[in-house]
Amino acid sequence: MTFDIITLFPEFFEFYLNHSILKKAQEKKIVKINVINLRDFAVDKHKTVDDKPFGGGRGMVVKLEPIFKAVSSLTKFKIQNSKFKITDKKSKIILFTPRGKKFNQKIAYQFSKLDRIILICGRYEGVDERVAKYIADEEISIGDYVLMGGDLPALIVIETITRLIPGVIGKSELLKERITKEKGFIEYPQYTRPEVFNSKKRVSWRVPKILLSGNHKKIEEWRKKHQKVIE
Ligand code: SAM
């Protein structure tokens, strides 16, 4: 799986992509993550990537041309019915916008089957709407709130998908079964020692008895009952 992040702040990603699961997944060559500076695709000598909104109003809007140039440099494409179409069926272009489809575990499972995802991070007052209309395959939101940019959403989406790729965090058989069912699963609650937590005898917080029973069938039933399924 290759992720291409198109951003105005490439340095933002350095730390996060080079730690923990994402670092290991790249080292194992299970994923490749390219960070692309949108400014490198500006079409003027001042490297301008934003402009005033038509119709007036506050703030600046990320321009269409540098995004078109950046995306075209990454993949083979054709123009079909006036739309940008990647020729490889297992690739997708995602634009982050708070107006998009809300990202969840089920969408992450579907995306985890792709070979390449190009992620466009907006900034300022947003991105020229023609990117959503003609270039992006999907408009994705990570929740009903407004952030400064699409950079955090890109990290969230990359991390969620990467965890689901077999070989990244083990449990591959379990993941395979879940992926083929096309459902999103969020696991059951977990407990660890001590069995009972007493703070100066004021509380007595216990682990559910079933988890200490050693009865694997009953534990599996309890876990199934407590997992969250996203249809
Ligand atoms: N004026 C826009 C509006 O109210 O919809 C907000 C633009 S926001 C300040 C700048 C960029 O951050 C957006 O273009 C988008 O890429 C990203 N962004 C902000 N909130 C987001 C969210 N909840 N999910 C995904 N992307 C988001």
Short mmCIF file of all heavy atoms in Angstrom, two decimals, residues 128-168:
data_model
loop_
_atom_site.label_atom_id
_atom_site.label_comp_id
_atom_site.label_asym_id
_atom_site.label_seq_id
_atom_site.Cartn_x
_atom_site.Cartn_y
_atom_site.Cartn_z
N ASP A 128 -10.36 24.90 -3.39
CA ASP A 128 -11.23 25.19 -4.54
C ASP A 128 -12.13 23.97 -4.80
O ASP A 128 -11.64 22.84 -4.96
CB ASP A 128 -10.34 25.48 -5.77
CG ASP A 128 -11.13 25.95 -6.97
OD1 ASP A 128 -12.14 25.31 -7.31
OD2 ASP A 128 -10.72 26.96 -7.58
N GLU A 129 -13.43 24.20 -4.80
CA GLU A 129 -14.41 23.11 -4.87
C GLU A 129 -14.25 22.22 -6.10
O GLU A 129 -14.69 21.07 -6.12
CB GLU A 129 -15.82 23.71 -4.78
CG GLU A 129 -16.96 22.71 -4.66
CD GLU A 129 -16.94 21.86 -3.39
OE1 GLU A 129 -16.25 22.22 -2.41
OE2 GLU A 129 -17.61 20.80 -3.38
N ARG A 130 -13.56 22.72 -7.15
CA ARG A 130 -13.38 21.90 -8.35
C ARG A 130 -12.52 20.66 -8.07
O ARG A 130 -12.58 19.68 -8.80
CB ARG A 130 -12.80 22.74 -9.49
CG ARG A 130 -13.86 23.66 -10.10
CD ARG A 130 -13.26 24.66 -11.01
NE ARG A 130 -12.49 25.67 -10.27
CZ ARG A 130 -11.95 26.74 -10.84
NH1 ARG A 130 -12.08 26.94 -12.13
NH2 ARG A 130 -11.27 27.62 -10.11
N VAL A 131 -11.74 20.73 -6.97
CA VAL A 131 -10.95 19.53 -6.60
C VAL A 131 -11.91 18.43 -6.16
O VAL A 131 -11.79 17.27 -6.57
CB VAL A 131 -9.92 19.86 -5.49
CG1 VAL A 131 -9.23 18.60 -4.99
CG2 VAL A 131 -8.89 20.87 -6.01
N ALA A 132 -12.91 18.80 -5.35
CA ALA A 132 -13.90 17.82 -4.89
C ALA A 132 -14.72 17.30 -6.08
O ALA A 132 -15.01 16.11 -6.19
CB ALA A 132 -14.83 18.45 -3.86
N LYS A 133 -15.07 18.23 -6.98
CA LYS A 133 -15.98 17.90 -8.06
C LYS A 133 -15.32 17.06 -9.17
O LYS A 133 -15.92 16.13 -9.69
CB LYS A 133 -16.48 19.22 -8.66
CG LYS A 133 -17.85 19.16 -9.23
CD LYS A 133 -18.39 20.55 -9.47
CE LYS A 133 -19.51 20.47 -10.47
NZ LYS A 133 -19.90 21.78 -10.97
N TYR A 134 -14.07 17.39 -9.49
CA TYR A 134 -13.47 16.76 -10.67
C TYR A 134 -12.26 15.87 -10.40
O TYR A 134 -11.90 15.06 -11.24
CB TYR A 134 -13.03 17.85 -11.68
CG TYR A 134 -14.16 18.71 -12.15
CD1 TYR A 134 -14.19 20.07 -11.84
CD2 TYR A 134 -15.21 18.17 -12.90
CE1 TYR A 134 -15.24 20.88 -12.27
CE2 TYR A 134 -16.26 18.97 -13.33
CZ TYR A 134 -16.27 20.33 -13.02
OH TYR A 134 -17.31 21.11 -13.44
N ILE A 135 -11.60 16.05 -9.25
CA ILE A 135 -10.36 15.27 -9.03
C ILE A 135 -10.55 14.16 -7.99
O ILE A 135 -10.15 13.02 -8.22
CB ILE A 135 -9.20 16.21 -8.62
CG1 ILE A 135 -8.91 17.22 -9.75
CG2 ILE A 135 -7.94 15.40 -8.28
CD1 ILE A 135 -7.77 18.19 -9.45
N ALA A 136 -11.15 14.49 -6.85
CA ALA A 136 -11.21 13.51 -5.75
C ALA A 136 -12.23 12.41 -6.02
O ALA A 136 -13.28 12.65 -6.61
CB ALA A 136 -11.57 14.23 -4.46
N ASP A 137 -11.89 11.18 -5.59
CA ASP A 137 -12.85 10.07 -5.65
C ASP A 137 -13.76 10.10 -4.43
O ASP A 137 -14.89 9.66 -4.48
CB ASP A 137 -12.11 8.73 -5.68
CG ASP A 137 -11.28 8.57 -6.93
OD1 ASP A 137 -11.84 8.69 -8.02
OD2 ASP A 137 -10.05 8.37 -6.80
N GLU A 138 -13.20 10.55 -3.31
CA GLU A 138 -13.97 10.56 -2.05
C GLU A 138 -13.67 11.84 -1.30
O GLU A 138 -12.51 12.27 -1.25
CB GLU A 138 -13.52 9.42 -1.13
CG GLU A 138 -13.57 8.05 -1.73
CD GLU A 138 -14.83 7.31 -1.40
OE1 GLU A 138 -15.67 7.83 -0.64
OE2 GLU A 138 -14.96 6.18 -1.92
N GLU A 139 -14.71 12.40 -0.67
CA GLU A 139 -14.50 13.51 0.27
C GLU A 139 -14.69 12.92 1.66
O GLU A 139 -15.74 12.36 1.96
CB GLU A 139 -15.53 14.60 0.04
CG GLU A 139 -15.35 15.34 -1.26
CD GLU A 139 -16.48 16.33 -1.47
OE1 GLU A 139 -16.56 17.31 -0.73
OE2 GLU A 139 -17.28 16.08 -2.37
N ILE A 140 -13.67 13.03 2.48
CA ILE A 140 -13.71 12.38 3.80
C ILE A 140 -13.58 13.42 4.92
O ILE A 140 -12.74 14.31 4.87
CB ILE A 140 -12.57 11.32 3.91
CG1 ILE A 140 -12.82 10.16 2.94
CG2 ILE A 140 -12.39 10.82 5.34
CD1 ILE A 140 -13.96 9.22 3.29
N SER A 141 -14.43 13.22 5.93
CA SER A 141 -14.36 14.04 7.15
C SER A 141 -14.00 13.11 8.30
O SER A 141 -14.40 11.94 8.29
CB SER A 141 -15.74 14.65 7.41
OG SER A 141 -15.85 15.04 8.76
N ILE A 142 -13.29 13.60 9.29
CA ILE A 142 -13.03 12.72 10.45
C ILE A 142 -13.99 13.03 11.59
O ILE A 142 -13.91 12.44 12.66
CB ILE A 142 -11.56 12.75 10.92
CG1 ILE A 142 -11.14 14.16 11.31
CG2 ILE A 142 -10.63 12.15 9.89
CD1 ILE A 142 -10.03 14.15 12.34
N GLY A 143 -14.91 13.96 11.38
CA GLY A 143 -15.90 14.26 12.43
C GLY A 143 -16.52 15.61 12.19
O GLY A 143 -16.01 16.42 11.41
N ASP A 144 -17.63 15.85 12.87
CA ASP A 144 -18.38 17.10 12.67
C ASP A 144 -17.79 18.25 13.48
O ASP A 144 -18.40 18.72 14.45
CB ASP A 144 -19.86 16.89 13.02
CG ASP A 144 -20.53 15.95 12.04
OD1 ASP A 144 -20.05 15.86 10.89
OD2 ASP A 144 -21.51 15.30 12.43
N TYR A 145 -16.60 18.65 13.13
CA TYR A 145 -15.94 19.79 13.73
C TYR A 145 -14.92 20.28 12.72
O TYR A 145 -14.59 19.56 11.78
CB TYR A 145 -15.25 19.42 15.07
CG TYR A 145 -14.57 18.07 15.02
CD1 TYR A 145 -13.32 17.92 14.40
CD2 TYR A 145 -15.19 16.95 15.54
CE1 TYR A 145 -12.72 16.69 14.33
CE2 TYR A 145 -14.59 15.71 15.47
CZ TYR A 145 -13.36 15.59 14.87
OH TYR A 145 -12.76 14.34 14.78
N VAL A 146 -14.44 21.52 12.90
CA VAL A 146 -13.55 22.09 11.88
C VAL A 146 -12.14 22.26 12.45
O VAL A 146 -11.94 22.91 13.47
CB VAL A 146 -14.09 23.44 11.36
CG1 VAL A 146 -13.17 24.02 10.30
CG2 VAL A 146 -15.49 23.26 10.78
N LEU A 147 -11.17 21.66 11.75
CA LEU A 147 -9.75 21.76 12.13
C LEU A 147 -9.07 22.78 11.23
O LEU A 147 -9.64 23.26 10.27
CB LEU A 147 -9.09 20.40 11.92
CG LEU A 147 -9.66 19.24 12.73
CD1 LEU A 147 -9.23 17.93 12.12
CD2 LEU A 147 -9.21 19.34 14.17
N MET A 148 -7.80 23.08 11.54
CA MET A 148 -7.02 24.03 10.74
C MET A 148 -6.68 23.48 9.36
O MET A 148 -6.52 24.22 8.41
CB MET A 148 -5.71 24.35 11.44
CG MET A 148 -5.85 25.37 12.54
SD MET A 148 -4.23 25.91 13.08
CE MET A 148 -3.49 24.41 13.67
N GLY A 149 -6.46 22.15 9.31
CA GLY A 149 -6.01 21.57 8.05
C GLY A 149 -6.34 20.09 7.97
O GLY A 149 -6.80 19.48 8.95
N GLY A 150 -6.05 19.50 6.82
CA GLY A 150 -6.32 18.08 6.64
C GLY A 150 -5.16 17.19 7.06
O GLY A 150 -5.18 15.98 6.79
N ASP A 151 -4.17 17.78 7.73
CA ASP A 151 -2.97 17.01 8.07
C ASP A 151 -3.24 15.97 9.18
O ASP A 151 -2.86 14.81 9.05
CB ASP A 151 -1.84 17.96 8.47
CG ASP A 151 -1.66 19.03 7.40
OD1 ASP A 151 -1.04 18.74 6.37
OD2 ASP A 151 -2.22 20.14 7.56
N LEU A 152 -3.90 16.41 10.24
CA LEU A 152 -4.26 15.44 11.29
C LEU A 152 -5.22 14.38 10.74
O LEU A 152 -4.99 13.19 10.98
CB LEU A 152 -4.90 16.15 12.50
CG LEU A 152 -3.94 16.79 13.49
CD1 LEU A 152 -4.71 17.60 14.53
CD2 LEU A 152 -3.11 15.71 14.19
N PRO A 153 -6.26 14.78 9.99
CA PRO A 153 -7.10 13.75 9.38
C PRO A 153 -6.30 12.74 8.55
O PRO A 153 -6.55 11.54 8.60
CB PRO A 153 -8.08 14.55 8.52
CG PRO A 153 -8.21 15.86 9.23
CD PRO A 153 -6.85 16.13 9.81
N ALA A 154 -5.29 13.22 7.80
CA ALA A 154 -4.49 12.29 6.98
C ALA A 154 -3.78 11.27 7.87
O ALA A 154 -3.77 10.07 7.58
CB ALA A 154 -3.48 13.06 6.13
N LEU A 155 -3.20 11.74 8.97
CA LEU A 155 -2.51 10.81 9.88
C LEU A 155 -3.49 9.80 10.47
O LEU A 155 -3.17 8.62 10.60
CB LEU A 155 -1.81 11.58 11.00
CG LEU A 155 -0.51 12.29 10.60
CD1 LEU A 155 0.03 13.09 11.77
CD2 LEU A 155 0.54 11.28 10.13
N ILE A 156 -4.65 10.29 10.83
CA ILE A 156 -5.66 9.40 11.44
C ILE A 156 -6.08 8.31 10.44
O ILE A 156 -6.12 7.13 10.77
CB ILE A 156 -6.88 10.23 11.92
CG1 ILE A 156 -6.47 11.01 13.17
CG2 ILE A 156 -8.11 9.36 12.17
CD1 ILE A 156 -7.43 12.09 13.61
N VAL A 157 -6.33 8.73 9.21
CA VAL A 157 -6.76 7.77 8.19
C VAL A 157 -5.63 6.77 7.88
O VAL A 157 -5.85 5.56 7.82
CB VAL A 157 -7.24 8.53 6.92
CG1 VAL A 157 -7.37 7.61 5.72
CG2 VAL A 157 -8.56 9.23 7.21
N ILE A 158 -4.41 7.27 7.74
CA ILE A 158 -3.28 6.38 7.42
C ILE A 158 -3.06 5.37 8.56
O ILE A 158 -2.88 4.18 8.33
CB ILE A 158 -1.99 7.20 7.16
CG1 ILE A 158 -2.13 7.96 5.84
CG2 ILE A 158 -0.75 6.31 7.12
CD1 ILE A 158 -1.01 8.95 5.57
N GLU A 159 -3.09 5.86 9.79
CA GLU A 159 -2.85 4.95 10.91
C GLU A 159 -3.95 3.89 11.01
O GLU A 159 -3.68 2.71 11.20
CB GLU A 159 -2.75 5.75 12.22
CG GLU A 159 -2.51 4.84 13.40
CD GLU A 159 -2.21 5.59 14.68
OE1 GLU A 159 -1.43 6.53 14.66
OE2 GLU A 159 -2.79 5.20 15.72
N THR A 160 -5.20 4.32 10.86
CA THR A 160 -6.32 3.38 10.98
C THR A 160 -6.23 2.30 9.91
O THR A 160 -6.40 1.11 10.19
CB THR A 160 -7.67 4.13 10.86
OG1 THR A 160 -7.64 5.26 11.71
CG2 THR A 160 -8.83 3.24 11.25
N ILE A 161 -5.92 2.70 8.68
CA ILE A 161 -5.84 1.72 7.58
C ILE A 161 -4.63 0.81 7.78
O ILE A 161 -4.72 -0.42 7.64
CB ILE A 161 -5.74 2.44 6.22
CG1 ILE A 161 -7.04 3.19 5.94
CG2 ILE A 161 -5.44 1.46 5.09
CD1 ILE A 161 -6.98 4.12 4.73
N THR A 162 -3.49 1.40 8.14
CA THR A 162 -2.26 0.60 8.26
C THR A 162 -2.42 -0.51 9.30
O THR A 162 -1.98 -1.64 9.09
CB THR A 162 -1.07 1.53 8.61
OG1 THR A 162 -0.95 2.50 7.57
CG2 THR A 162 0.24 0.76 8.73
N ARG A 163 -3.09 -0.22 10.42
CA ARG A 163 -3.29 -1.23 11.46
C ARG A 163 -4.05 -2.45 10.91
O ARG A 163 -3.97 -3.54 11.46
CB ARG A 163 -4.10 -0.66 12.63
CG ARG A 163 -3.37 0.38 13.44
CD ARG A 163 -4.22 0.84 14.60
NE ARG A 163 -4.19 -0.09 15.70
CZ ARG A 163 -5.17 -0.92 16.03
NH1 ARG A 163 -6.28 -0.94 15.33
NH2 ARG A 163 -5.05 -1.73 17.05
N LEU A 164 -4.83 -2.23 9.85
CA LEU A 164 -5.67 -3.31 9.32
C LEU A 164 -4.99 -4.14 8.25
O LEU A 164 -5.54 -5.13 7.79
CB LEU A 164 -6.96 -2.71 8.73
CG LEU A 164 -7.86 -2.03 9.75
CD1 LEU A 164 -9.01 -1.33 9.07
CD2 LEU A 164 -8.38 -3.05 10.74
N ILE A 165 -3.81 -3.73 7.83
CA ILE A 165 -3.13 -4.48 6.77
C ILE A 165 -2.43 -5.68 7.40
O ILE A 165 -1.67 -5.53 8.36
CB ILE A 165 -2.13 -3.57 6.01
CG1 ILE A 165 -2.89 -2.39 5.38
CG2 ILE A 165 -1.39 -4.35 4.93
CD1 ILE A 165 -2.01 -1.36 4.71
N PRO A 166 -2.73 -6.89 6.90
CA PRO A 166 -2.12 -8.09 7.48
C PRO A 166 -0.60 -7.96 7.58
O PRO A 166 0.05 -7.48 6.64
CB PRO A 166 -2.53 -9.20 6.50
CG PRO A 166 -3.80 -8.71 5.90
CD PRO A 166 -3.66 -7.21 5.81
N GLY A 167 -0.07 -8.36 8.74
CA GLY A 167 1.37 -8.30 8.95
C GLY A 167 1.80 -7.09 9.75
O GLY A 167 2.92 -7.04 10.26
N VAL A 168 0.92 -6.12 9.90
CA VAL A 168 1.32 -4.90 10.62
C VAL A 168 1.23 -5.10 12.14
O VAL A 168 2.19 -4.84 12.85
CB VAL A 168 0.49 -3.67 10.17
CG1 VAL A 168 0.79 -2.45 11.04
CG2 VAL A 168 0.80 -3.35 8.71
#
